[in-house]
Amino acid sequence: KQEIRTFGTTSKEIRALAKWLWDEKCQMAAMESTGSYWKPVYNLFETSHLGVMIVNARNMKNVPGRKTDVKDAEWIADLLQHGLLSASYIPKREQRELREVSRYRKSLIAERARELNRLQKMLEGGNIKLSSVVSNINGKSSRSLLQKLLKKDAPLQKDEVEESLHGALRHKVEDVMQALDGFLTPLQKQLILQVVDHIDDMTKRIGQMDKLVKQYSSGYEDAIEKLDEIPGIGRQSAETILAETGLDMSRFATEKHLSSWAGLSPGNNESAGKRQSGRTTKGNATLKTTLIQCAKAAVKKKDSFLSAQEDCKFNCRIVLPNFGSLCSRSIHIICSLIAEDFTRIVVNPIFDPFQISWFQGAEIRSFRQKSAQNTVPVFVASAFPTAERMCIVYLLAFCGALHSFSIQKF
């Protein structure tokens, strides 16, 4: 039976659509995940307890030249009837709302970074070379100097500069005096003051978003603490990751599926025996950028498993660090920590990270060794005579160090 009706996009029209589907005993509805236009329909269908499937438009394209709303609806219904649609991951309403707050906070942080770059650009235009002396243009000393510089018409004196400096900058008074030797017109000063006020306002709003996220993520606290122990991942990044993925790792068959969903797996494009571009897919932009930032931070943290992996690759004359590989390893650790109760390894980093390169390229197969108290995944390398080496290497992946360990319970 096929029947075509047209409905509007207001809540009243969507409720009428839901009632019609309910009266016709429709078991499942499907629609494209276009922008944010699917959300009103999904929200009302969810409260009406109607089965609905949100599908990526890329996975159900029709023949070119036959693009109308009615034909699209018929095509989607035909694909759904024959079981040819793959549903997108749509979390529960509470997690979707937490996502919105987390993503808004991330956008505020990005906007504040752009404003800080704009502030530095304006100071450079006025011959103020403050960024060449201080590491943070928005730090305590920098802001104190800027407030005095922008409110005075005359150049700052040495005693005024000394009062504004803190920490190691107290020994760089002469360098700071030379960096502040510039020329700013009254109009430039007023403009810079507006930028500074905007930065302060966004900093205040980011703090409010932090409190809001913490208030509504109380159910994620245990998982946040576990992810916070992974090298490169801080509390804010852990909150963002969990807001995107949730706590139910059963939605993803393996950690590789989660890596692909995040857009961190290489593409597969081969034709006539030639491999074309292997660029990654778009994936979840928020999760992808967050994990890349964590990977960059993990590389800088010495005596950790993730940085040791990149050290081994540098030793093999690979010039740039493979952040995608580090993100995939981080996803593997994240999935394992969220999904199961692992044994924690406390390690003393006492040997060279280059020494772990002996297991690179080994053929690995995995199984799970279960006991009454703990569930510990074990990797066994068929290329080695004993399994103990790979067991140690795998367990070290969860601790951030390399040798001399003792086992404790989470």
Side-chain angles (χ1 to χ4, degrees):
K1 178 183 177 180
Q2 178 175 325
E3 183 179 350
I4 298 176
R5 292 190 184 182
T6 302
F7 295 87
T9 57
T10 61
S11 297
K12 180 181 179 180
E13 292 287 327
I14 296 174
R15 290 191 184 98
L17 169 61
K19 184 178 183 302
W20 174 56
L21 294 176
W22 188 267
D23 294 340
E24 295 294 331
K25 298 181 180 180
C26 178
Q27 297 178 355
M28 179 65 67
M31 62 180 298
E32 292 182 357
S33 58
T34 305
S36 60
Y37 298 110
W38 60 270
K39 293 182 180 179
V41 179
Y42 188 88
N43 290 335
L44 291 177
F45 276 28
E46 188 179 35
T47 56
S48 301
H49 304 288
L50 280 170
V52 59
M53 181 184 295
I54 308 298
V55 186
N56 193 327
R58 180 190 60 184
N59 300 332
M60 54 180 183
K61 289 184 178 179
N62 200 349
V63 179
R66 302 178 60 185
K67 172 66 177 176
T68 65
D69 291 339
V70 174
K71 288 188 178 294
D72 280 350
E74 292 177 331
W75 176 249
I76 294 172
D78 190 29
L79 293 177
L80 177 62
Q81 182 180 3
H82 292 86
L84 297 177
L85 296 180
S86 178
S88 299
Y89 167 44
I90 306 297
K92 295 181 180 180
R93 186 178 185 87
E94 294 78 10
Q95 186 182 338
R96 296 201 302 270
E97 293 173 350
L98 184 61
R99 268 186 181 183
E100 291 182 0
V101 180
S102 176
R103 290 178 179 181
Y104 179 57
R105 178 179 63 178
K106 187 175 177 65
S107 65
L108 285 177
I109 294 173
E111 180 61 28
R112 183 178 62 178
R114 286 190 286 270
E115 284 294 282
L116 288 172
N117 291 335
R118 187 174 291 111
L119 172 62
Q120 184 173 338
K121 181 180 178 181
M122 290 179 177
L123 292 176
E124 289 286 340
N127 288 5
I128 305 297
K129 304 292 184 179
L130 191 60
S131 60
S132 61
V133 182
V134 300
S135 59
N136 183 10
I137 196 68
N138 198 37
K140 186 176 180 179
S141 300
S142 302
R143 293 299 297 271
S144 179
L145 289 170
L146 284 177
Q147 291 295 334
K148 293 181 179 180
L149 182 66
L150 297 174
K151 292 180 179 180
K152 287 189 61 176
D153 295 331
L156 295 182
Q157 301 300 319
K158 186 174 182 179
D159 57 342
E160 294 177 317
V161 173
E162 290 177 346
E163 292 175 358
S164 302
L165 298 182
H166 302 84
L169 285 176
R170 293 175 179 174
H171 306 292
K172 300 181 180 180
V173 178
E174 295 299 330
D175 295 337
V176 173
M177 291 287 294
Q178 294 180 13
L180 294 176
D181 185 12
F183 178 76
L184 291 175
T185 64
L187 178 59
Q188 285 178 314
K189 290 183 178 181
Q190 292 298 321
L191 183 58
I192 292 175
L193 281 173
Q194 294 297 321
V195 174
V196 171
D197 290 341
H198 192 198
I199 292 172
D200 291 339
D201 179 65
M202 285 188 292
T203 301
K204 177 183 176 181
R205 294 183 183 276
I206 291 171
Q208 293 173 346
M209 291 301 105
D210 288 337
K211 295 179 181 178
L212 198 59
V213 170
K214 189 173 182 180
Q215 178 182 353
Y216 286 93
S217 61
S218 56
Y220 299 80
E221 195 61 35
D222 292 340
I224 291 173
E225 291 179 359
K226 289 182 180 180
L227 298 192
D228 193 17
E229 295 183 356
I230 301 175
I233 297 181
R235 180 179 178 86
Q236 193 175 91
S237 297
E239 291 172 346
T240 303
I241 292 170
L242 292 173
E244 298 298 324
T245 64
L247 297 176
D248 186 10
M249 292 294 105
S250 63
R251 296 180 179 273
F252 306 98
T254 65
E255 70 277 358
K256 293 181 181 179
H257 288 76
L258 176 56
S259 181
S260 176
W261 179 74
L264 293 167
S265 296
N268 191 11
N269 185 7
E270 183 179 338
S271 179
K274 294 182 179 179
R275 182 171 179 80
Q276 308 298 327
S277 172
R279 63 182 181 181
T280 59
T281 57
K282 291 184 179 180
N284 186 312
T286 304
L287 181 60
K288 184 176 183 178
T289 54
T290 301
L291 287 172
I292 290 174
Q293 291 175 354
C294 294
K296 291 181 178 180
V299 170
K300 297 178 181 180
K301 183 175 177 59
K302 300 303 179 182
D303 299 327
S304 69
F305 174 79
L306 296 176
S307 66
Q309 297 301 295
E310 289 307 312
D311 288 340
C312 292
K313 293 177 182 179
F314 276 115
N315 199 28
C316 296
R317 299 184 181 181
I318 295 181
V319 178
L320 296 175
N322 187 352
F323 294 119
S325 175
L326 285 182
C327 290
S328 298
R329 292 178 184 273
S330 298
I331 285 178
H332 176 72
I333 299 172
I334 289 167
C335 289
S336 303
L337 287 177
I338 295 175
E340 301 184 58
D341 184 18
F342 284 102
T343 300
R344 174 181 175 184
I345 310 300
V346 180
V347 177
N348 300 320
I350 61 174
F351 87 92
D352 187 0
F354 288 101
Q355 294 184 19
I356 69 168
S357 60
W358 51 265
F359 76 91
Q360 293 291 327
E363 180 183 356
I364 299 175
R365 57 188 177 88
S366 65
F367 66 94
R368 294 189 179 276
Q369 181 180 11
K370 296 183 178 180
S371 63
Q373 296 181 347
N374 301 318
T375 301
V376 181
V378 180
F379 275 0
V380 179
S382 59
F384 297 102
T386 60
E388 286 77 11
R389 288 184 176 180
M390 291 307 298
C391 292
I392 292 174
V393 169
Y394 183 78
L395 291 174
L396 290 178
F398 293 91
C399 64
L402 298 170
H403 197 54
S404 182
F405 59 86
S406 61
I407 299 178
Q408 294 181 354
K409 190 79 168 59
F410 263 130

